[in-house]
Amino acid sequence: MTEILPESFFHQPTLELAKALLGCKLVKQTDEGITSGYIVETEAYRGPKDQAAHSYQNRRTKRTEVMFGKPGYAYTHRMHTHCLINVVSGEIEVPESVLIRAVEPDEGIDHMYHRRGEMPQKNLTNGPGKLTKALGISMEDYGLPLFKPPIYIAKGYTPENISTGPRIGIENSGEAKEYPWRFWITDNPFVSRKR
Protein backbone atom coordinates (compact mmCIF):
# COMPACT_ATOMS: atom_id res chain seq x y z
CA MET A 1 0.00 0.00 0.00
CA THR A 2 1.40 3.39 -1.01
CA GLU A 3 1.76 5.74 1.93
CA ILE A 4 1.31 9.34 0.78
CA LEU A 5 3.56 11.72 2.68
CA PRO A 6 1.60 14.26 4.74
CA GLU A 7 1.63 18.00 4.16
CA SER A 8 3.81 18.38 7.26
CA PHE A 9 6.67 16.52 5.51
CA PHE A 10 7.25 19.54 3.26
CA HIS A 11 7.66 21.93 6.19
CA GLN A 12 11.42 21.65 6.48
CA PRO A 13 14.29 23.86 5.26
CA THR A 14 14.78 23.73 1.50
CA LEU A 15 18.22 22.09 1.56
CA GLU A 16 16.96 19.48 4.00
CA LEU A 17 13.86 18.83 1.91
CA ALA A 18 15.99 18.40 -1.23
CA LYS A 19 17.83 15.55 0.53
CA ALA A 20 14.72 14.12 2.24
CA LEU A 21 12.97 13.73 -1.13
CA LEU A 22 15.64 11.30 -2.33
CA GLY A 23 14.22 7.79 -2.25
CA CYS A 24 10.63 9.04 -2.04
CA LYS A 25 8.19 8.02 -4.76
CA LEU A 26 6.71 10.57 -7.21
CA VAL A 27 3.32 9.32 -8.40
CA LYS A 28 1.02 10.63 -11.18
CA GLN A 29 -2.46 9.33 -11.89
CA THR A 30 -3.89 9.87 -15.38
CA ASP A 31 -6.73 8.34 -17.39
CA GLU A 32 -4.16 5.90 -18.80
CA GLY A 33 -3.21 4.65 -15.34
CA ILE A 34 -0.62 5.22 -12.64
CA THR A 35 3.05 5.92 -13.28
CA SER A 36 5.64 6.41 -10.58
CA GLY A 37 9.33 6.59 -9.93
CA TYR A 38 11.71 6.88 -6.98
CA ILE A 39 13.32 10.32 -6.78
CA VAL A 40 17.08 9.91 -7.25
CA GLU A 41 18.23 13.49 -7.96
CA THR A 42 17.12 16.96 -6.82
CA GLU A 43 18.30 20.56 -6.90
CA ALA A 44 17.48 23.22 -4.30
CA TYR A 45 16.65 26.82 -5.29
CA ARG A 46 16.67 29.30 -2.45
CA GLY A 47 14.64 32.16 -3.84
CA PRO A 48 15.39 35.83 -3.20
CA LYS A 49 19.17 35.54 -2.70
CA ASP A 50 19.80 32.71 -5.19
CA GLN A 51 20.67 34.16 -8.60
CA ALA A 52 19.77 30.86 -10.28
CA ALA A 53 16.21 30.86 -8.89
CA HIS A 54 13.18 32.09 -10.84
CA SER A 55 12.20 34.03 -7.71
CA TYR A 56 15.58 35.77 -7.35
CA GLN A 57 15.14 39.19 -5.71
CA ASN A 58 11.54 38.19 -4.84
CA ARG A 59 10.54 38.26 -8.51
CA ARG A 60 6.79 37.70 -8.31
CA THR A 61 5.12 36.86 -11.62
CA LYS A 62 2.23 34.73 -12.80
CA ARG A 63 4.77 31.92 -13.27
CA THR A 64 6.37 32.17 -9.79
CA GLU A 65 3.21 32.97 -7.80
CA VAL A 66 2.79 29.45 -6.38
CA MET A 67 6.23 29.65 -4.74
CA PHE A 68 5.04 32.48 -2.49
CA GLY A 69 2.46 30.17 -0.92
CA LYS A 70 2.65 27.13 1.34
CA PRO A 71 5.23 24.37 0.81
CA GLY A 72 4.23 21.03 -0.68
CA TYR A 73 2.66 22.28 -3.91
CA ALA A 74 3.73 21.68 -7.51
CA TYR A 75 5.59 24.42 -9.34
CA THR A 76 5.64 23.34 -12.98
CA HIS A 77 7.28 25.52 -15.60
CA ARG A 78 8.50 25.34 -19.16
CA MET A 79 12.19 25.17 -20.08
CA HIS A 80 12.54 25.27 -23.87
CA THR A 81 9.95 22.65 -24.95
CA HIS A 82 10.01 20.68 -21.69
CA CYS A 83 7.82 20.88 -18.61
CA LEU A 84 9.78 20.64 -15.33
CA ILE A 85 8.40 19.96 -11.86
CA ASN A 86 9.52 21.55 -8.60
CA VAL A 87 8.31 21.07 -5.05
CA VAL A 88 7.48 24.41 -3.41
CA SER A 89 9.45 24.77 -0.18
CA GLY A 90 10.26 27.48 2.33
CA GLU A 91 7.87 29.55 4.41
CA ILE A 92 4.91 31.53 3.03
CA GLU A 93 6.25 34.60 1.18
CA VAL A 94 9.72 32.98 1.00
CA PRO A 95 9.70 31.66 -2.59
CA GLU A 96 11.94 28.59 -2.61
CA SER A 97 11.65 25.25 -4.39
CA VAL A 98 13.26 21.89 -5.10
CA LEU A 99 13.59 20.72 -8.70
CA ILE A 100 13.11 17.00 -9.25
CA ARG A 101 15.87 16.16 -11.74
CA ALA A 102 15.58 12.37 -12.13
CA VAL A 103 13.57 9.37 -10.98
CA GLU A 104 14.04 5.61 -11.14
CA PRO A 105 10.98 4.08 -12.90
CA ASP A 106 8.67 1.99 -10.74
CA GLU A 107 5.02 1.61 -11.79
CA GLY A 108 3.57 2.05 -15.27
CA ILE A 109 6.77 1.53 -17.25
CA ASP A 110 4.74 0.54 -20.34
CA HIS A 111 3.03 3.96 -20.20
CA MET A 112 6.44 5.62 -19.94
CA TYR A 113 7.67 3.87 -23.09
CA HIS A 114 4.45 4.81 -24.89
CA ARG A 115 5.04 8.49 -24.04
CA ARG A 116 8.81 8.53 -24.60
CA GLY A 117 9.45 5.91 -27.31
CA GLU A 118 11.89 3.00 -27.41
CA MET A 119 15.18 3.51 -25.57
CA PRO A 120 17.28 1.94 -22.81
CA GLN A 121 15.28 2.06 -19.58
CA LYS A 122 17.93 4.17 -17.83
CA ASN A 123 17.23 6.97 -20.34
CA LEU A 124 13.46 7.05 -19.73
CA THR A 125 13.51 9.35 -16.68
CA ASN A 126 17.13 10.49 -16.17
CA GLY A 127 16.48 14.19 -16.62
CA PRO A 128 13.90 16.76 -15.48
CA GLY A 129 12.11 17.03 -18.84
CA LYS A 130 12.29 13.29 -19.50
CA LEU A 131 10.69 12.31 -16.20
CA THR A 132 7.72 14.66 -16.58
CA LYS A 133 6.95 13.37 -20.08
CA ALA A 134 7.32 9.75 -18.95
CA LEU A 135 5.05 10.23 -15.93
CA GLY A 136 2.48 12.37 -17.77
CA ILE A 137 3.19 15.48 -15.67
CA SER A 138 2.23 18.71 -17.44
CA MET A 139 1.66 22.43 -16.93
CA GLU A 140 -1.89 21.51 -15.85
CA ASP A 141 -0.35 20.22 -12.60
CA TYR A 142 0.80 23.73 -11.64
CA GLY A 143 -0.30 24.60 -8.11
CA LEU A 144 -1.63 21.15 -7.21
CA PRO A 145 -0.90 19.78 -3.73
CA LEU A 146 1.73 17.04 -3.72
CA PHE A 147 0.12 15.24 -0.78
CA LYS A 148 -3.01 13.88 -2.51
CA PRO A 149 -3.98 12.50 -5.94
CA PRO A 150 -3.68 12.99 -8.86
CA ILE A 151 -0.01 13.89 -8.26
CA TYR A 152 1.70 13.12 -4.99
CA ILE A 153 4.88 12.09 -3.22
CA ALA A 154 4.82 8.85 -1.27
CA LYS A 155 7.07 7.08 1.18
CA GLY A 156 9.85 5.14 -0.49
CA TYR A 157 13.20 4.08 0.92
CA THR A 158 16.14 5.72 2.69
CA PRO A 159 19.23 5.96 0.45
CA GLU A 160 22.49 4.57 1.85
CA ASN A 161 24.64 7.36 0.41
CA ILE A 162 23.87 10.83 -0.94
CA SER A 163 26.28 12.81 -3.12
CA THR A 164 26.36 16.60 -3.40
CA GLY A 165 27.62 18.98 -6.07
CA PRO A 166 26.90 22.15 -8.07
CA ARG A 167 23.61 22.47 -9.94
CA ILE A 168 23.41 21.92 -13.70
CA GLY A 169 22.60 24.29 -16.58
CA ILE A 170 22.75 27.58 -14.68
CA GLU A 171 25.93 29.06 -16.14
CA ASN A 172 24.72 32.69 -16.13
CA SER A 173 23.98 32.89 -12.41
CA GLY A 174 27.18 34.32 -10.94
CA GLU A 175 28.54 32.63 -7.83
CA ALA A 176 25.23 30.73 -7.45
CA LYS A 177 26.37 28.31 -10.15
CA GLU A 178 28.93 26.91 -7.69
CA TYR A 179 26.56 26.34 -4.76
CA PRO A 180 26.59 22.58 -3.89
CA TRP A 181 22.81 22.35 -3.93
CA ARG A 182 22.35 19.35 -6.22
CA PHE A 183 21.81 16.08 -4.39
CA TRP A 184 21.68 12.58 -5.81
CA ILE A 185 21.67 8.97 -4.67
CA THR A 186 25.29 7.89 -5.04
CA ASP A 187 25.91 5.51 -7.98
CA ASN A 188 22.23 5.33 -8.97
CA PRO A 189 22.15 4.64 -12.75
CA PHE A 190 19.13 6.93 -13.28
CA VAL A 191 20.91 10.13 -12.15
CA SER A 192 21.01 12.62 -15.06
CA ARG A 193 24.79 13.12 -15.12
CA LYS A 194 27.80 13.23 -12.87
CA ARG A 195 29.07 16.67 -14.16
Side-chain angles (χ1 to χ4, degrees), residues 103 105 113 119-127 130 189-192:
V103 303
Y113 275 114
M119 63 187 69
Q121 187 171 315
K122 74 181 182 83
N123 294 337
L124 268 178
T125 56
N126 65 342
K130 296 176 182 181
F190 292 91
V191 169
S192 62

Side-chain angles (χ1 to χ4, degrees), residues 21-90:
L21 285 165
L22 295 174
C24 294
K25 194 192 287 195
L26 176 62
V27 184
K28 177 67 194 287
Q29 296 178 351
T30 67
D31 291 342
E32 296 167 298
I34 290 177
T35 47
S36 71
Y38 292 101
I39 299 169
V40 298
E41 183 181 4
T42 61
E43 285 181 345
Y45 288 88
R46 298 201 51 206
K49 296 178 181 171
D50 179 358
Q51 210 171 326
H54 292 164
S55 53
Y56 177 55
Q57 295 179 327
N58 272 322
R59 212 176 291 138
R60 193 167 192 154
T61 64
K62 188 175 178 184
R63 175 168 85 160
T64 65
E65 183 62 34
V66 71
M67 284 196 284
F68 287 83
K70 293 193 287 188
Y73 288 75
Y75 168 44
T76 51
H77 65 88
R78 288 211 174 280
M79 184 68 71
H80 308 300
T81 58
H82 304 293
C83 171
L84 275 54
I85 184 164
N86 299 255
V87 178
V88 173
S89 57

Side-chain angles (χ1 to χ4, degrees), residues 164-183:
T164 303
R167 296 168 294 181
I168 294 171
I170 55 167
E171 284 69 26
N172 302 319
S173 56
E175 63 181 31
K177 72 175 191 267
E178 300 303 331
Y179 297 165
W181 291 351
R182 182 168 72 102
F183 306 95

Side-chain angles (χ1 to χ4, degrees), residues 5-12 17 71-72 147:
L5 291 171
E7 185 176 2
S8 58
F9 169 80
F10 301 97
H11 289 260
Q12 53 183 307
L17 180 62
F147 41 86

Side-chain angles (χ1 to χ4, degrees), residues 96-107:
E96 300 182 351
S97 70
V98 176
L99 172 68
I100 299 175
R101 274 201 64 87
V103 303
E104 180 176 340
D106 181 41
E107 298 166 277

